[in-house]
Amino acid sequence: MNFDATNRWVGCFTQPADAKQMKHHVIRITVNGDRHTLAVAPHWTLVEVLREHLRLTGTKHGCGTGDCGACTVLLDGRSVNSCLTLAVEVDGREITTIEGIASSGGELHPVQDAFIAHGATQCGFCTPGMVVSSVQLLATNSRPEEQEIRHALGGNLCRCTGYTKIVEAIAAAATQGEEAEG
Amino acid sequence: MRPTTPLHRPHPHESARLHVTGGALYVDELPEARNARIGLIVPAGVAHGRVVRIERSRAESAPGIDAVLLASDIPGEALIGPIAHDEPVLAGDEVRYAGQPIALIVGESLEACRDAAGLMRFEIEELPATLSIAAAIAEESFFGDPHIIRRGDVEAALESAQTRVEGELSTPAQDHFYLETQAALALPLEAGGWQIFSSSQNPTEVQQLVARTLGVGRHRVVCDVPRMGGAFGGKESQGALFACLAAIGAARIGRPVKLRLTRREDMAMTGPRHPFWSTYEAGFDRDGLIQAFKVATYADGGFSLDLSPAILSRALFHLDNSYYIPTLRFEGRICRTHKPSTTAFRGFGGPQGMAVIEDAINRFAERTGRDPTSVRVRNFYGEAPRDRAPYHQRIPEPRLSRIHSELSADAEVESRASEIAVFNAGSLHVKRALAFQPVKFGIAFTNRILNQAGALVHVYRDGTVQVNHGGTEMGQGLHTKMQVVCADELGIPLDNVRVMRTSTGKVPNTTPTAASSGSDLNGQAIADACAKLRARLGPVAAGMMGRACDEDLCFEGDRIATTDAERSVPFHEVAMQAWLERVSLSATGYYATPGISYDIEAGRGCPFFYFAYGGAFVEVALDGRTGRHRLLRVDILHDVGNSLVPSIDRGQIEGGFLQGVGWLTCEERIESPDGRVVTLGPSTYKIPAAGDAPRELRIRLLDRAGESRTIGGSKAVGEPPFMLALGVVTALRQAVAAFDGRTASEVELRLPATPESLLRAIETRAG
């Protein structure tokens, strides 16, 4: 039997054919407090724009299908998978990546401190997404129960740690935040 | 322990701050990658076929495309591989698995390359494919000869055994699912030189295979590994292919080329853990002691040899797990199939081997109505003659009984067992069960040659130090441990020691970072280099203190002091003085593990340097209506010797255990009837998520566990905890049995024990 081997596989690429001919749109976005004006094709994803155009490589390519959470960023303060978010959709909006979680002076967020102190990182590849999801969790729920932490991390996969130290780190960061407020 | 040493204390991962701020660089984002052209691999779509024609001219002239390469364009040798050179860099005349790279497109962007891929045309004549272990056995499609280990008259011992248990077991494939997919960057340098960056556990092999593929001497090629976003064995041999592809692309266009696979491509092109199929017969006496164990096991090796012989050996070496077996016959073979080449994965055959004897013990306990924990404990290795492994190596002082008794107390086993019995009596739909799992794991590369390591330590005139060693950092904390070892050896603060990224230009001819041996081997090599430096700095310091140049000195607290502590000088002043006196401040270190040997023909020898031990009590809850299960509580007591860095070792134990749980309960790699993997992403291939981790996980490191002859008295930790997860299977089997309460009846549970599989097991018993 003769057949076209490639076409069976090209089917998995999400790209439309002749993508280059597609019209670019100008978007204005704020990333970690910096304003950018960019011309983007309609099929470009936010993670591509962050990594390839803005050189913010802390946000990772993981699965490309919104299942692993390695590309998690904050969009107007809410966590999203930047691999499932089209760049044209975020025109006029505010994005925080892992590079924008610490203060501009380099002072770490309590979640970041806690991840370091609790040994919650191993290879570090899921860590940016984990930290961003955790920051959002604590922004909406300052004293989460353990089950709430696990639930909030449901969209972030880690292959190294077994999650225990990550959950402990987030719980500790929450406690620390409460003490700071009190 | 010396007061200021960082050894045996918890420390954060040396890159932790970079991890949490997004500053940690992986191959895909190195500054050197910025202007690289992009490579896209075109995979073949059939499991087995003859390549009739490939049409590439339209793709070559597509916008933004620099080149389209086929097998015939490889400048050097077209075949690579870690043991045998039997893997084409690109498929030539024959396609041997669905997903095999058949063309490489190089262009200005991934987008341009993808558009060009759609313009290629392939004529491939499809051929019959061997797609399962059963098919390979029927067709006698094997790699090499059987590996056989035997002791005594196993048939006679089986005949005379009180109880004879027969069974078969399939253990599943497992995708590595490292979060960072395979990636490589190749930069052509001046004068025919090459700089390769690879996400690889084995930079020396990448250097060697890139040189081979390009047809140049190895001295032309330097391979650096910055860090990996996970590897787990999946980048021991299989990172090399992508480095070779990047290199041939870069050689063709004379510019840097970068390759990074998508998750889907990675899961289709690279091989998983070897699936094994085993049949066994086990004989037990009236006390429940194993008398005989006869096993025939088959590993699916995929299309090429890769590391399969070593993986099969380790599987056979772990068919005993923690138990003494007086008479035995183990036979293993590697099947050749038309699938991606299966490869190293944490445990390296050990889990597949151990699963077989655990299955035999479970069946024996179920059939005879015995307590499976007692059967396990009773069969532990012990005093002579119960101290000989199947391959005749002596098992000195097994720590198994001690681990079991300490852990039973820690885990409050007695009271919880009665609580569970009460719970189960009152619960119709959910049953709970508690099981014990011991592990004994042999440490060393079973291939003697690989048990060597090198290091290069530089002291600078301000007293700060750079350490280079042959190991790679994949998240396991090796660099943190090596930083600690070096700081301890020179008596200087941790912050003054920087571990450099792994480079074949700094430490040559290295061994892969594998077999849990990274810190054992490289730690000793660093200690050797530091001993040389101390021997050179000592006389300088003695001279500065007005003492005899051969006086013993103490390197401690960033100072070099007399042993009576009367005089001391700062380390950095000694470094400067050494330079002024023209004393070398740089030293290489080397280590070769003593005493490793194994005769594969005879099935005898000492393949291991020492053994690591561990134990776990696992409690599960199983819902008989849905097959859903939860890990309620897991207690682990693990023997890591005197832990170099306890916080790092705990992380390895937690992560290893949960990865094992994934293998045994939720990760199911599904293939289509024509041999294509269909579970090509996390939406269909389920690795454990945060909610799947044990609700309660208590880990303790065994105390008074120092090992002689190892760095800092420590033991390897990377792989052994993975196999503790076998306890989950035992617990689930007991929970299945609890639904009908019938004793003296075996459980039929297929692995992985997914909810579907568990429901089937419950229904099978119900008839």
Side-chain angles (χ1 to χ4, degrees):
Chain A
M1 185 177 82
N2 292 339
F3 65 94
D4 181 332
T6 314
N7 281 345
R8 295 173 72 160
W9 286 88
V10 168
C12 74
F13 301 138
T14 54
Q15 220 83 6
D18 302 324
K20 258 172 302 301
Q21 272 79 55
M22 299 199 104
K23 188 183 162 205
H24 281 42
H25 298 268
V26 174
I27 60 166
R28 289 171 188 82
I29 55 176
T30 306
V31 182
N32 303 331
D34 297 329
R35 294 209 184 112
H36 300 274
T37 303
L38 299 160
V40 300
H43 59 279
W44 287 3
T45 59
L46 180 55
V47 64
E48 290 171 305
V49 169
L50 292 171
R51 287 181 60 88
E52 312 301 330
H53 299 262
L54 301 180
R55 302 275 182 215
L56 292 168
T57 56
T59 304
K60 303 302 179 196
H61 283 294
C63 63
T65 52
D67 296 303
C68 79
C71 66
T72 308
V73 299
L74 297 180
L75 182 61
D76 294 334
R78 288 194 52 211
S79 63
V80 295
N81 288 312
S82 60
C83 74
L84 291 186
T85 307
L86 294 172
V88 288
E89 292 180 305
V90 300
D91 187 20
R93 302 174 73 177
E94 195 162 320
I95 294 139
T96 307
T97 70
I98 186 65
E99 290 90 347
I101 297 294
S103 75
S104 52
E107 193 188 334
L108 298 184
H109 187 280
V111 165
Q112 293 172 311
D113 277 327
F115 266 58
I116 296 172
H118 285 78
T121 79
Q122 285 188 28
C123 84
F125 207 82
C126 75
T127 309
M130 284 283 180
V131 167
V132 169
S133 290
S134 310
V135 166
Q136 202 228 331
L137 168 68
L138 297 189
T140 54
N141 179 356
S142 62
R143 197 65 200 272
E145 300 286 324
E146 191 191 310
Q147 284 310 306
E148 291 174 311
I149 296 175
R150 288 187 190 274
H151 186 75
L153 298 182
N156 291 85
L157 294 176
C158 169
R159 191 53 151 168
C160 298
T161 64
Y163 303 99
T164 305
K165 288 175 189 292
I166 294 174
V167 173
E168 284 169 8
I170 297 166
T175 311
Q176 196 196 3
E178 194 164 77
E179 280 167 6
E181 279 167 32
Chain B
M1 197 158 68
R2 293 186 289 123
T4 62
T5 179
L7 211 56
H8 312 310
R9 297 179 204 278
H11 297 285
H13 192 286
E14 46 85 39
S15 289
R17 194 182 164 95
L18 295 174
H19 293 154
V20 301
T21 55
L25 298 181
Y26 303 81
V27 168
D28 188 40
E29 53 227 24
L30 293 171
E32 291 88 341
R34 279 203 184 152
N35 296 313
R37 304 300 261 193
I38 303 299
L40 175 76
I41 299 165
V42 183
V46 294
H48 190 203
R50 190 175 67 85
V51 179
V52 179
R53 194 174 66 89
I54 301 175
E55 169 55 52
R56 62 172 154 178
S57 58
R58 284 176 68 210
E60 280 176 319
S61 56
I65 297 303
D66 300 303
V68 178
L69 286 85
L70 304 176
S72 53
D73 300 315
I74 295 166
E77 296 290 331
L79 295 173
I80 60 169
I83 297 175
H85 291 141
D86 62 349
E87 296 174 22
V89 174
L90 289 168
D93 298 337
E94 188 188 8
V95 170
R96 288 157 66 197
Y97 72 94
Q100 185 175 6
I102 191 166
L104 175 72
I105 301 179
V106 181
E108 64 180 21
S109 68
L110 201 50
E111 202 173 312
C113 293
R114 284 171 175 172
D115 284 346
L119 301 173
M120 291 194 71
R121 290 293 174 265
F122 297 83
E123 279 180 37
I124 299 174
E125 183 189 348
E126 203 166 353
L127 299 171
T130 309
L131 294 172
S132 67
I133 290 175
I137 294 170
E139 295 164 22
E140 297 192 12
S141 173
F142 298 116
F143 288 102
D145 296 323
H147 182 169
I148 296 168
I149 298 173
R150 59 164 78 83
R151 175 160 67 200
D153 186 345
V154 76
E155 298 297 345
L158 284 169
E159 279 303 316
S160 61
Q162 165 93 3
T163 308
R164 190 162 159 172
V165 177
E166 291 166 7
E168 64 175 271
L169 181 73
S170 291
T171 50
Q174 183 180 28
D175 192 278
H176 300 82
F177 212 97
Y178 27 64
L179 264 278
E180 180 211 22
T181 51
Q182 302 275 358
L185 169 66
L187 297 106
L189 307 176
E190 63 173 26
W194 285 88
Q195 174 70 55
I196 308 292
F197 294 96
S198 173
S199 184
S200 166
Q201 294 168 248
N202 197 349
T204 285
E205 192 167 277
V206 169
Q207 174 200 23
Q208 169 199 333
L209 294 176
V210 164
R212 182 181 159 85
T213 307
L214 294 175
V216 302
R218 293 180 195 178
H219 65 310
R220 300 273 177 226
V221 181
V222 172
C223 177
D224 283 15
V225 177
R227 62 166 57 75
M228 284 169 274
F232 315 113
K235 297 171 180 174
E236 181 174 347
S237 62
Q238 299 208 349
L241 171 64
F242 306 101
C244 291
L245 284 166
I248 61 167
R252 174 67 170 273
I253 67 169
R255 294 184 56 175
V257 169
K258 181 172 82 171
L259 273 177
R260 180 186 61 79
L261 303 193
T262 62
R263 177 66 52 195
R264 202 182 162 89
E265 289 165 344
D266 192 299
M267 294 183 84
M269 291 178 192
T270 67
R273 178 187 295 281
H274 289 64
F276 273 62
W277 177 72
S278 309
T279 59
Y280 64 79
E281 290 172 72
F284 294 81
D285 72 7
R286 65 185 69 247
D287 296 324
L289 282 174
I290 301 167
Q291 297 301 304
F293 195 34
K294 183 181 167 191
V295 182
T297 190
Y298 296 86
D300 184 345
F303 86 100
S304 72
L305 193 64
D306 193 86
L307 298 163
S308 294
I311 290 162
L312 178 67
S313 294
R314 189 169 276 272
L316 297 179
F317 293 150
H318 288 83
L319 279 167
D320 61 335
N321 187 8
S322 304
Y323 318 114
Y324 173 66
I325 308 169
T327 63
L328 55 93
R329 187 177 192 284
F330 300 160
E331 174 170 351
R333 291 207 86 162
I334 305 156
C335 298
R336 184 201 292 264
T337 57
H338 292 103
K339 301 213 270 191
S341 197
T342 42
T343 193
F345 195 148
R346 204 174 200 163
F348 203 74
Q352 294 97 317
M354 279 185 205
V356 179
I357 195 160
E358 298 305 331
D359 194 69
I361 289 176
N362 283 338
R363 281 188 184 276
F364 170 70
E366 286 159 10
R367 189 190 293 184
T368 59
R370 288 171 194 255
D371 168 32
T373 301
S374 310
V375 178
R376 289 186 162 87
V377 171
R378 181 161 292 189
N379 279 289
F380 279 164
Y381 279 102
E383 301 292 315
R386 297 182 56 83
D387 65 344
R388 290 285 165 176
Y391 37 88
H392 294 266
Q393 181 166 355
R394 200 170 81 82
I395 313 286
E397 302 172 68
R399 291 166 173 171
L400 295 158
S401 297
R402 192 181 143 209
I403 286 174
H404 173 256
S405 61
E406 287 188 26
L407 188 61
S408 299
D410 289 357
E412 307 153 290
V413 168
E414 268 183 46
S415 61
R416 283 168 64 210
S418 24
E419 265 171 49
I420 289 168
V422 171
F423 173 88
N424 284 350
S427 170
L428 186 60
H429 296 306
V430 177
K431 301 292 184 187
R432 285 159 54 185
L434 178 64
F436 172 64
Q437 180 63 49
V439 162
K440 167 187 118 300
F441 194 75
I443 302 299
F445 285 96
T446 55
N447 178 355
R448 185 171 187 269
I449 303 161
L450 297 178
N451 294 289
Q452 56 174 322
L456 173 64
V457 179
H458 302 314
V459 178
Y460 293 91
R461 273 139 52 191
D462 64 353
T464 60
V465 170
Q466 281 185 354
V467 183
N468 301 273
H469 63 87
T472 55
E473 176 64 37
M474 59 194 96
Q476 83 281 44
L478 176 62
H479 283 358
T480 312
K481 287 184 172 178
M482 297 303 93
Q483 184 187 26
V484 164
V485 165
C486 181
D488 174 67
E489 290 286 330
L490 296 177
I492 59 177
L494 212 49
D495 281 349
N496 289 2
V497 179
R498 179 176 173 210
V499 182
M500 306 305 289
R501 73 182 176 200
T502 317
S503 173
T504 59
K506 292 285 182 63
V507 180
N509 305 315
T510 55
T511 285
T513 310
S516 304
S517 66
S519 57
D520 280 9
L521 295 173
N522 295 292
Q524 295 280 25
I526 290 168
D528 180 47
C530 290
K532 291 179 190 171
L533 289 166
R534 286 198 310 270
R536 292 186 210 148
L537 292 172
V540 175
M544 292 166 77
M545 294 184 286
R547 298 289 185 110
C549 68
D550 60 349
E551 184 169 323
D552 268 350
L553 296 174
C554 182
F555 287 64
E556 162 98 46
D558 211 12
R559 301 182 76 84
I560 302 174
T562 55
T563 46
D564 56 15
E566 264 184 19
R567 297 285 315 270
S568 74
V569 276
F571 185 83
H572 70 92
E573 287 182 18
V574 181
M576 174 59 92
Q577 186 62 33
W579 179 71
L580 291 170
E581 293 179 21
R582 300 191 301 169
V583 171
S584 167
L585 285 168
S586 175
T588 57
Y590 182 78
Y591 176 71
T593 314
I596 309 286
S597 67
Y598 180 71
D599 178 348
I600 195 164
E601 297 299 324
R604 270 175 181 252
C606 290
F608 301 117
F609 188 41
Y610 63 85
F611 296 89
Y613 299 97
F617 272 101
V618 178
E619 185 182 348
V620 300
L622 172 63
D623 188 322
R625 296 162 299 187
T626 61
R628 274 193 61 181
H629 51 90
R630 286 283 337 238
L631 292 174
L632 298 181
R633 175 173 162 183
V634 175
D635 293 75
I636 293 174
L637 179 56
H638 210 80
D639 166 25
V640 296
N642 284 339
S643 173
L644 291 177
V645 182
S647 52
I648 297 279
D649 285 349
R650 285 171 176 278
Q652 287 298 296
I653 294 166
E654 292 177 9
F657 177 81
L658 194 64
Q659 212 171 55
V661 171
W663 175 54
L664 292 164
T665 66
C666 61
E667 298 180 30
E668 195 166 22
R669 188 178 151 101
I670 298 172
E671 288 150 12
S672 67
D674 60 354
R676 287 181 298 143
V677 184
V678 296
T679 45
L680 294 177
S683 61
T684 49
Y685 183 84
K686 305 297 282 182
I687 69 166
D692 300 317
R695 251 180 226 168
E696 200 179 340
L697 177 60
R698 302 184 186 194
I699 289 174
R700 188 159 75 78
L701 306 181
L702 190 71
D703 53 21
R704 297 174 285 116
E707 181 77 11
S708 59
R709 308 189 297 164
T710 60
I711 186 74
S714 67
K715 282 189 177 186
V717 70
E719 294 167 291
F722 182 94
M723 284 146 278
L724 294 172
L726 286 164
V728 177
V729 176
T730 301
L732 286 171
R733 293 177 72 103
Q734 287 172 243
V736 167
F739 280 101
D740 53 47
R742 275 190 288 134
T743 51
S745 160
E746 291 167 44
V747 173
E748 302 302 329
L749 177 65
R750 277 174 57 89
L751 300 176
T754 57
E756 293 89 336
S757 171
L758 285 157
L759 275 182
R760 230 175 273 133
I762 295 168
E763 281 168 14
T764 306
R765 281 175 68 91

